[in-house]
Amino acid sequence: MKHARIIYEGATHAATEAGPGQVRLADGRILAEDAVAWLPPIAPRTTFTLAINYADHARELAFKAPDEPLGFLKAANTFVGHRAQTMRPADVAFMHYECELAVVIGKTASRVKRGQANDYVAGYTVANDYALRDYLENWYRPNLRVKSRDTCTPLGPWLVDRDDVPDPMNLNLRTTVNGVETQRGNTRDMVFDVPALIEYFSSFMTLSPGDLILTGTPDGIVNVVPGDEVVTEIEGVGRLVNTLIPFPHLIPT
């Protein structure tokens, strides 16, 4: 099943998919997708993000694929929902999207072995993990101004139940900018797959329900500017729409 959180008539509702372009509220009402405001399908707790977790993306950046996951944390303030707007700072020369499969942890996980990792997954959603290359300290240590900016991580629209995604390691990913395809890949090309990531992070940190793992992006990143509509979609998981708007104020350094 596909689950969502939306705002309708000033109240927050749990919703499910009711058909193409429609949502169903708990009371049975069916609404058009554009008649509601979308929240991220979960309220993220701790979010783990991966750098250079696709071999083709490593080549795109002229880096060797890592020997172990290059993980870092993302703050909760950065998340927005489907059809939301993301601010692009006026002083940035290169800002790009990152279409990523997001794994939602469903139960407490500590020292999990990869063979049991799937048991700890609640489901999957789509993340668009924008990056601002101007502010990057270096490719291996993304800093706060790159990865925890307000509005810079659209998430959704749906949380898709784990059992409705039979093979998360064979899903097509695709990004379009203003209707033109700019990125295409498949989750099978991850350097570290979902079970390996759960095993790795849970080996030194206890994972809790609601934690997220953003699993990285394939190659095909391009600069985006205010007015662009960016659509990140993953086969069987969802189609996430986002629009860039200007943010004219410089961020203090």
Side-chain angles (χ1 to χ4, degrees):
M1 183 175 289
K2 293 183 176 180
H3 310 269
R5 293 191 308 144
I6 58 98
I7 298 174
Y8 181 65
E9 295 182 339
T12 299
H13 300 267
T16 56
E17 187 181 38
Q22 296 181 315
V23 297
R24 177 181 286 105
L25 304 186
D27 62 11
R29 283 180 292 173
I30 295 178
L31 306 171
E33 172 183 324
D34 59 3
V36 305
W38 292 76
L39 297 170
I42 66 164
R45 188 181 173 277
T46 302
T47 299
F48 303 86
T49 308
L50 273 295
I52 315 177
N53 196 37
Y54 279 75
D56 58 359
H57 188 45
R59 290 191 297 270
E60 181 180 34
L61 301 178
F63 280 99
K64 175 183 176 291
D67 296 323
E68 67 175 38
L70 295 173
F72 54 95
L73 299 180
K74 178 183 287 289
N77 61 281
T78 188
F79 291 100
V80 293
H82 176 51
R83 303 174 69 92
Q85 297 176 324
T86 288
M87 297 181 291
R88 187 189 198 276
D91 62 334
V92 166
F94 187 21
M95 177 175 176
H96 65 78
Y97 52 79
E98 295 183 359
C99 179
E100 305 198 22
L101 179 68
V103 182
V104 181
I105 298 300
K107 62 181 181 179
T108 302
S110 178
R111 298 185 176 90
V112 173
K113 298 302 181 185
R114 64 169 293 127
Q116 286 72 52
N118 189 58
D119 296 339
Y120 294 84
V121 174
Y124 304 92
T125 187
V126 182
N128 179 358
D129 187 17
Y130 283 106
L132 293 80
R133 290 298 172 189
D134 304 55
Y135 299 159
L136 202 65
E137 292 174 356
N138 62 58
W139 294 107
Y140 292 95
R141 301 184 192 280
N143 60 23
L144 283 172
R145 290 197 299 170
V146 176
K147 290 296 185 177
S148 286
R149 299 184 70 88
D150 291 346
T151 77
C152 274
T153 314
L155 189 73
W158 309 106
L159 168 61
V160 182
D161 290 337
R162 175 194 66 201
D163 293 342
D164 290 333
V165 184
D167 188 359
M169 300 318 304
N170 188 23
L171 301 175
N172 291 318
L173 298 84
R174 178 174 182 262
T175 300
T176 62
V177 179
N178 302 324
V180 177
E181 183 178 293
T182 55
Q183 182 180 44
R184 178 175 288 272
N186 190 286
T187 57
R188 63 173 171 262
D189 297 324
M190 287 184 193
V191 178
F192 302 99
D193 63 14
V194 170
L197 294 172
I198 292 173
E199 180 179 55
Y200 174 76
F201 287 121
S202 73
S203 71
F204 60 88
M205 292 180 68
T206 298
L207 309 184
S208 298
D211 285 354
L212 277 178
I213 301 175
L214 274 55
T215 56
T217 197
D219 70 352
I221 55 175
V222 301
N223 187 43
V224 288
V225 297
D228 283 348
E229 181 184 77
V230 180
V231 179
T232 47
E233 52 188 312
I234 300 178
E235 176 186 8
V237 180
R239 179 179 184 273
L240 176 63
V241 179
N242 178 253
T243 304
L244 275 292
I245 61 171
F247 182 64
H249 306 294
L250 299 182
I251 304 299
T253 58

